[in-house]
Amino acid sequence: MMKSGPASVEFRSVTKRYGAVTSVDDVSFTIAPGTLVTLLGPSGCGKTTTLRLIAGLEIASEGRILIGGKDVTFLSAADRDVSMVFQSYALFPHMSVLENVAYGPTVQGMPKAKAHALAMEKLALVGLAGLERRAPSELSGGQQQRVAVARALVLEPQVLLFDEPLSNLDAKLRRRVREDIRELQLKLNLTVAYVTHDQEEALAVSDRIIVMSNARIAQSGTPHELYEEPASLFVADFIGDANLVDALVVEEREERALVRVGGLDLDLPRRGATRGPVKLAVRPEAILLAGAKPARPAIAARIAKAAYLGKHLEYTVESPLGELFVIDRVKNEPLVAGADVWLGFADRDVTIVPL
Amino acid sequence: MTRASIIWLVLGWTGFAVLPWYMVADLSGYPTAAAAPGLVLALSGRAWWLLPLLLPLAVAAWPLAGRHGREEGGWWLVAAGALGLALLAIQGFAVGLEGWNAAWLRELLGAPGPQQRGMGFGAALLALASLMTLCHGLAARGWCRGDAFVVSAIGLIVALITVFVFLPVLTILVSAFQDNAGRFAPGEFFAKFIDRSVWGLDCLTSDLRCGVAWNTLFLAVVVGVGTTVLGLAFALIATRTAFRFKGLLRVLSVLPIITPPFVIGLALILMFGRSGSVTALLADWFGVPRSRWIYGFWGIFISQLLAFTPIAFLVLIGVVQGISPSLEEAAQTLRARAWTTFRTVSLPLMRPGLANAFLLGFVESMADFGNPLILGGNYEVLATKIFFAVVGAAHDQSRAAVLSIVLLAFTLGAFWVQHAWLGKRVYTTVTGKGDAGLPPPLPRGVAVACYATAVPWAIFTFIVYAIVLVGGFVRSMGRDYTPTLEHFLTGFRIETTERGLFFSGSAWDSFFATLKVAATAAPLTAAIGLLTAYLLTRQRFAGQRAFEFGTLLSFAIPGTVVGVSYILAFNVPPIEITGTGFILVMCFVFRNMPVGVRSGIATMSQIDKSLDEASLTLGARSFTTVRRVVLPLLRPAIVASLVYSFVRAMTAVSAVIFLVSAEYNMATTYIVGRVEAGEFGLAIAYSSVLIGVMLVAILMIQVVVGERRLGRRTAGALAVQGAAA
């Protein structure tokens, strides 16, 4: 079999409609060869449809899809050099682990012995050597997941797709498996598109993230860009649970701006904002709570709910700015519900959101 | 152009230029004379109307010449395929056996015009090649995710349904508006339609008989209610009581499926006829005078009740089992007594099942032909009336068509009511979640009522079957109980001669013909049914709802109507196949296909769709995916549809009685003939042989299809559940 190496994926104004419902609306992006790009968004935002469009399991209603520079818009899934790891793993229950992994090469017409050798190689790669005679149902969830990955890798596809691969695993296993996937992607230099609704997972594994909302791309960029400079209220809210607070730009200072919020003045990057009302995205960690009135200016507020989570403390605070969600990782003395507190802002993780 | 579309192009040329164009009995004179290929006929001028067919064949070859993209080449293929099909249809319907078919063509181009016979292998192959070229072109245009197999499968099924379901129905509609000479005569239609013999209500006011439509409707309603009540009683006993003989109930529910429908009527004659065994007993012991009461409404009613109660039972047992016990337990924890729970929770939840059971009984009674034929006496129903309109002395085809439309309207109306009434309600009580509840026992009164209806009925059914079993081995039921093998010898004698075995029994011909037709039809039915189910569950395409309607439509058409419509549609060119085994096979395939579709859909919706998609992304085409992933997981549905279609092909009477010929006489029509001739012994012996053969066939299908699943099946079954969870 010819090794084709990683390829780019390009969407040019792709739209997918089901009757009156548009699930992907005029979407354009490019995935560079050898990178891992995450499609992130709430359920129903069109991210899985986008993935299935890459795979060829759906055909675009409008627009063009290119893989490795070649137009594949109307090519069926079987003719595209793309493999996919399914959310349910989709292991064939009537075949053994080995037959599952060897399925791809076998149906391409490769002799059985050669196909099995290739499959054994990939099984060893994912650390499942010795389990090849088992039926999929005799494996644990994590092992089944690795069989699915081995089966997708065996054809050495130009593009590998993951549809929420961690959603059926328990919380502990998720971190390990996502690290394994990233390691494999870097080691084999694969182009990977990865769908998830978990922002932490996306931040952890991606070279770039495409955030989708209502069938459109809300923002795309590196994890750092998305977290630090959200382009919209939706992105700010979806990634890192930001508090969205009304504020007023009182002075434009070239690249920076003086922003007044709840009586406090903050000096922030301007990000194109002009004088007048704006929204601030304030990360939960960026709100500092003090039990006693501090020396510097502060906003008086009251703890509505408090939760002790071991590693950190979570508070819901009622303030003149509205209800705020606060995380205290420093673990000051735990505050109790009903206590009066004073709010301040940290130097970072407070951002002006362009409207 | 893909390799497949080149192959279809070559096959198209083969059909046009090599194979005999018309249906011929032998190849004498090939390649000229009657067996000539289309190209020869067209060029020699004997069938100049075939000349335009060269155009699509040339268009299909065009992409070979130039270097076209996949999509542009697709356009050429679409154009060629559509043009080919259109030209074939136009010439086929324009030029008939006796010249131009349409009056305006005769006027325009002069009567009688050119003549031609029914299409043969050449024409059929060219039609198929055109269809496949069209489908490959559409696939190249991106239809169905660019999947040529899927588009071809859809195209093939649509074409088959058009020819074997819609065309006959359309023909019957058209011929209802024509007189027997083929002229348009709406006046005659209305005269026949509102005829007193159809809609008359004289029986309410005088001794005269009511119209046949009212007879049929009344019988169907009574039978529907009766089977539903009995079926519910059986279902409640089977699921909600500690009844000891539940196994027997199961047997009871299977027996009628493998019984030719008129056998029960036959057994009733042997018991209650003028010289029946029960009649004889009553006459001898109590002096009850012998009478012919069984021939008429009561005979049909009892036989249909016996025949169709198991169907209601099968529907209702699923519904009763499907009611989540937690719901009933919830009612009880809210202080509802057993009877209140049953009345306010259980019974309302069964409502869709009850409606379904009633409608099935209703439709089955309407469509039943065998029992009214042998038991009807003076009580006429539509099914038999249609039959006698075609084969009787009057031979009034347009009257048969009009009556068929009345019958069709009734059954389609019933299905429409069912759909409209049940379609919008959701009664889902089976969820994916486990249910730890225990169903409560029946309230006492209900249990007693169930036993009181069901047990006598069950005993009666067993007596009926005992008579079927015994009747073949005695000289004459009711008169002479001397044991004899005479009936079996008459039907199934085998003699050894010097040239080997000689099947001299009178039943052998129809027996072998039936086996041949049933064995051909069963795999075809299963294949087409499951393919349709695959397309409906696994693919999305424009017009899917219409496609589904078309595939299930034949289920709602009574057999008698199918029979009449087939002889009307396929007795004349372009498709002239009456009298062949082929028409019987096709009739069975499209009558029984809906069951294959249903069981396929049920099984396939339990298999995770991403299994197919995984196979696709691994480079397997749809066909390979179906073969290697879907089919192995589909074995239960394969068994179900094979068994059903085989059994139905062995037991059907209504449609085939119009379609049999001297060469292809079916077992059922032969038996009906014996009954009409009064040879009850032979008829009943033959029936028990048929039942035995079907039991053997069912076991064989189980073994052949089921064996392969042994390997890793236990683990596989678990994983299917796991994947679906």
Side-chain angles (χ1 to χ4, degrees):
Chain A
M1 195 162 300
M2 202 178 66
K3 288 206 177 187
S4 34
S8 64
V9 176
E10 191 181 346
F11 269 44
R12 290 186 190 158
S13 308
V14 173
T15 298
K16 176 66 189 174
R17 281 186 217 97
Y18 301 103
V21 183
T22 305
S23 54
V24 171
D25 189 5
D26 193 18
V27 162
S28 303
F29 62 80
T30 305
I31 300 176
T35 58
L36 194 159
V37 172
T38 312
L39 294 161
L40 177 67
S43 48
C45 70
K47 57 189 191 301
T48 296
T49 308
T50 306
L51 196 75
R52 292 167 60 83
L53 283 165
I54 303 177
L57 295 171
E58 312 281 351
I59 293 291
S61 311
E62 273 167 40
R64 294 272 144 188
I65 299 171
L66 292 86
I67 294 178
K70 221 178 80 197
D71 189 336
V72 298
T73 314
F74 291 121
L75 222 50
S76 77
D79 297 319
R80 296 190 190 183
D81 194 3
V82 173
S83 289
M84 181 156 165
V85 176
F86 289 81
Q87 187 172 9
S88 63
Y89 313 144
L91 300 178
F92 305 129
H94 56 300
M95 300 181 192
S96 70
V97 166
L98 184 63
E99 284 168 331
N100 261 289
V101 180
Y103 182 83
T106 313
V107 297
Q108 304 285 314
M110 191 184 277
K112 203 172 164 187
K114 213 172 149 197
H116 280 194
L118 206 62
M120 290 301 291
E121 186 190 308
K122 299 299 175 202
L123 279 170
L125 187 71
V126 297
L128 284 180
L131 296 180
E132 66 275 2
R133 293 279 153 224
R134 299 262 190 99
S137 58
E138 295 168 330
L139 301 181
S140 72
Q143 287 169 329
Q144 288 183 18
Q145 215 261 355
R146 280 185 276 165
V147 176
V149 173
R151 188 177 67 177
L153 281 175
V154 74
L155 289 175
E156 302 186 3
Q158 290 183 310
V159 180
L160 187 57
L161 308 175
F162 286 90
D163 186 10
E164 310 222 4
L166 308 184
S167 60
N168 285 333
L169 300 176
D170 60 55
K172 278 209 149 162
L173 211 52
R174 277 185 202 179
R175 172 186 288 272
R176 237 198 62 206
V177 172
R178 85 182 182 211
E179 281 166 3
D180 288 348
I181 289 174
R182 178 63 160 164
E183 199 183 303
L184 210 59
Q185 181 260 328
L186 291 173
K187 191 162 88 186
L188 301 178
N189 188 26
L190 300 166
T191 306
V192 171
Y194 187 112
V195 159
T196 180
H197 61 265
D198 183 336
Q199 42 102 1
E200 187 188 311
E201 196 178 316
L203 292 172
V205 297
S206 318
D207 289 310
R208 291 180 71 83
I209 298 176
I210 297 171
V211 182
M212 293 189 69
S213 159
N214 290 331
R216 288 169 173 275
I217 293 181
Q219 188 179 0
S220 75
T222 62
H224 185 266
E225 284 167 3
L226 289 180
Y227 194 84
E228 302 291 335
E229 297 165 25
S232 66
L233 294 176
F234 172 80
V235 177
D237 184 37
F238 193 75
I239 296 186
D241 301 321
N243 295 292
L244 300 172
V245 176
D246 289 316
L248 197 68
V249 174
V250 289
E251 198 183 326
E252 298 175 25
R253 298 172 178 170
E254 293 182 354
E255 286 308 298
R256 298 188 75 80
L258 186 66
V259 179
R260 182 160 295 158
V261 51
L264 305 185
D265 285 343
L266 304 174
D267 182 45
L268 299 170
R270 190 157 74 90
R271 303 194 68 206
T274 50
R275 279 175 68 103
V278 289
K279 285 268 188 190
L280 291 188
V282 185
R283 300 288 169 195
E285 301 90 334
I287 300 175
L288 309 173
L289 300 181
K293 192 172 179 7
R296 59 194 173 114
I299 303 168
R302 179 193 295 269
I303 305 279
K305 294 174 202 157
Y308 176 78
L309 275 83
K311 277 187 294 190
H312 61 263
L313 297 156
E314 286 182 8
Y315 297 109
T316 305
V317 179
E318 273 169 13
S319 76
L321 305 175
E323 198 167 81
L324 299 174
F325 175 60
V326 180
I327 293 178
D328 181 0
R329 296 192 190 279
V330 193
K331 270 209 268 188
N332 296 311
E333 202 56 21
L335 300 160
V336 293
D340 289 320
V341 289
W342 280 267
L343 301 180
F345 294 101
D347 294 336
R348 45 176 310 218
D349 288 345
V350 179
T351 326
I352 295 175
V353 183
L355 286 174
Chain B
M1 251 173 123
T2 62
R3 211 173 58 192
S5 30
I6 294 174
I7 291 175
W8 281 116
L9 176 62
V10 172
L11 286 175
W13 274 102
T14 313
F16 192 55
V18 180
L19 293 179
W21 184 258
Y22 291 118
M23 194 83 131
V24 283
D26 59 297
L27 282 177
S28 57
Y30 181 85
T32 54
L39 188 62
V40 174
L41 290 169
L43 292 178
S44 69
R46 271 193 296 152
W48 51 265
W49 55 90
L50 297 180
L51 263 180
L53 286 169
L54 280 170
L55 185 63
L57 283 166
V59 172
W62 181 253
L64 279 178
R67 296 180 57 81
H68 295 279
R70 189 173 137 87
E71 285 167 52
E72 199 193 333
W75 274 126
W76 286 102
L77 294 182
V78 170
L83 191 64
L85 287 176
L87 288 174
L88 269 172
I90 291 171
Q91 65 84 20
F93 284 105
V95 182
L97 206 53
E98 287 153 15
W100 298 115
N101 270 331
W104 62 270
L105 273 173
R106 282 194 293 270
E107 278 164 28
L108 195 68
L109 298 165
Q115 303 168 356
Q116 66 176 348
R117 275 176 296 166
M119 293 184 181
F121 288 111
L125 187 60
L126 180 58
L128 182 66
S130 303
L131 179 69
M132 290 298 126
T133 305
L134 172 65
C135 293
H136 277 85
L138 290 173
R141 298 283 316 145
W143 276 42
C144 296
R145 304 183 301 201
D147 197 320
F149 168 72
V150 173
V151 184
S152 303
I154 295 171
L156 189 65
I157 289 173
V158 167
L160 285 172
I161 284 175
T162 309
V163 172
F164 290 105
V165 179
F166 285 111
L167 178 64
V169 171
L170 204 67
T171 313
I172 214 169
L173 287 177
V174 169
S175 64
F177 285 93
Q178 288 175 340
D179 60 16
N180 286 323
R183 282 181 299 267
F184 180 64
E188 204 163 320
F189 167 77
F190 286 109
K192 279 174 178 155
F193 185 78
I194 56 172
D195 193 86
R196 182 165 246 196
S197 71
V198 180
W199 297 103
L201 280 168
D202 296 332
C203 59
L204 298 180
T205 52
S206 66
D207 285 346
L208 293 169
R209 276 180 278 154
C210 268
V212 65
W214 294 118
N215 277 354
T216 312
L217 199 60
F218 176 69
L219 179 71
V221 170
V222 178
V223 169
V225 171
T227 54
T228 308
V229 169
L230 280 166
L232 181 62
F234 281 120
L236 287 175
I237 290 175
T239 52
R240 296 294 171 95
T241 65
F243 187 57
R244 249 184 289 166
F245 306 105
K246 284 182 188 172
L248 281 179
L249 281 184
R250 281 284 173 190
V251 175
L252 209 71
S253 69
V254 179
L255 268 180
I257 295 171
I258 57 165
T259 311
F262 53 83
V263 168
I264 291 173
L266 186 52
L268 286 181
I269 293 179
L270 292 178
M271 284 167 81
F272 300 110
R274 258 182 74 81
S275 54
S277 47
V278 176
T279 312
L281 273 178
L282 291 176
D284 293 351
W285 293 2
F286 304 105
V288 179
R290 294 168 185 265
S291 76
R292 293 176 53 85
W293 69 275
I294 195 75
Y295 297 96
F297 172 79
W298 287 106
I300 311 176
F301 173 66
I302 295 173
S303 59
Q304 292 192 340
L305 217 49
L306 279 165
F308 306 138
T309 294
I311 298 173
F313 169 70
L314 286 178
V315 169
L316 287 169
I317 196 168
V319 173
V320 174
Q321 279 171 342
I323 294 174
S324 164
S326 300
L327 293 175
E328 289 168 324
E329 288 183 338
Q332 285 178 323
T333 59
L334 295 166
R335 312 270 165 83
R337 309 244 155 250
W339 167 246
T340 317
T341 305
F342 183 76
R343 194 172 47 84
T344 56
V345 177
S346 319
L347 215 48
L349 285 172
M350 289 173 205
R351 214 153 57 190
L354 293 172
N356 241 333
F358 170 78
L359 281 162
L360 273 178
F362 180 87
V363 170
E364 287 280 351
S365 163
M366 287 240 161
D368 185 24
F369 172 75
N371 287 313
L373 183 68
I374 63 174
L375 276 175
N378 287 329
Y379 194 86
E380 288 181 313
V381 295
L382 283 167
T384 48
K385 195 94 174 168
I386 292 168
F387 176 67
F388 289 119
V390 174
V391 303
H395 191 70
D396 190 346
Q397 276 198 351
S398 69
R399 182 177 165 76
V402 172
L403 293 173
S404 297
I405 286 176
V406 175
L407 186 52
L408 192 60
F410 278 150
T411 50
L412 285 180
F415 276 99
W416 181 79
V417 167
Q418 178 194 30
H419 192 76
W421 192 59
L422 295 177
K424 296 183 194 105
R425 286 153 216 253
V426 181
Y427 287 89
T428 317
T429 60
V430 185
T431 61
K433 292 171 191 150
D435 196 324
L438 287 172
L442 281 180
R444 248 190 98 68
V446 177
V448 169
C450 284
Y451 283 125
T453 38
V455 172
W457 195 253
I459 293 169
F460 187 51
T461 308
F462 271 101
I463 293 172
V464 166
Y465 276 94
I467 290 198
V468 174
L469 210 62
V470 174
F473 292 98
V474 299
R475 195 156 285 159
S476 171
M477 285 296 289
R479 261 183 252 155
D480 183 355
Y481 290 98
T482 324
T484 176
L485 284 175
E486 172 198 341
H487 306 309
F488 285 93
L489 285 176
T490 317
F492 298 98
R493 190 191 301 275
I494 303 173
E495 286 169 287
T496 40
T497 62
E498 61 270 29
R499 275 178 296 151
L501 293 177
F502 178 61
F503 294 87
S504 61
S506 61
W508 282 120
D509 284 346
S510 61
F511 181 76
F512 287 135
T514 306
L515 270 188
K516 200 163 96 183
V517 169
T520 318
L524 274 176
T525 314
I528 294 185
L530 294 177
L531 185 62
T532 307
Y534 167 79
L535 295 174
L536 285 174
T537 51
R538 290 303 212 249
Q539 305 290 340
R540 270 196 309 264
F541 48 91
Q544 197 159 11
R545 287 300 299 265
F547 182 76
E548 186 174 3
F549 171 77
T551 55
L552 298 177
L553 174 68
S554 61
F555 201 63
I557 307 177
T560 326
V561 179
V562 173
V564 173
S565 66
Y566 268 46
I567 49 171
L568 289 181
F570 299 130
N571 211 9
V572 288
I575 305 170
E576 195 182 350
I577 50 174
T578 45
T580 62
F582 182 68
I583 195 172
L584 288 168
V585 170
M586 281 301 143
C587 173
F588 286 135
V589 167
F590 288 94
R591 268 180 75 56
N592 301 329
M593 183 185 80
V595 174
V597 176
R598 289 263 165 97
S599 70
I601 287 178
T603 313
M604 235 174 286
S605 51
Q606 287 173 340
I607 303 171
D608 191 354
K609 195 177 171 179
S610 53
L611 289 177
D612 306 23
E613 292 176 345
S615 173
L616 279 178
T617 59
L618 289 168
R621 283 164 203 293
S622 294
F623 179 70
T624 315
T625 304
V626 167
R627 189 169 59 83
R628 302 191 58 139
V629 177
V630 180
L631 275 185
L633 297 172
L634 215 55
R635 291 222 167 88
I638 299 176
V639 171
S641 51
L642 274 179
V643 165
Y644 182 84
S645 48
F646 184 81
V647 163
R648 286 295 291 243
M650 298 273 293
T651 59
V653 197
S654 52
V656 294
I657 205 158
F658 296 95
L659 304 177
V660 291
S661 55
E663 190 187 350
Y664 285 97
N665 195 8
M666 299 290 282
T668 47
T669 48
Y670 179 81
I671 297 174
V672 169
R674 294 309 96 216
V675 175
E676 284 179 322
E679 297 174 40
F680 294 136
L682 175 56
I684 209 104
Y686 199 166
S687 301
S688 47
V689 167
L690 275 190
I691 292 176
V693 167
M694 280 183 272
L695 278 177
V696 172
I698 290 173
L699 288 177
M700 271 169 56
I701 291 172
Q702 292 272 14
V703 169
V704 170
V705 184
E707 206 172 34
R708 272 173 248 152
R709 80 170 92 143
L710 291 176
R712 263 180 301 271
R713 191 58 197 174
T714 44
L718 281 175
V720 174
Q721 287 161 9

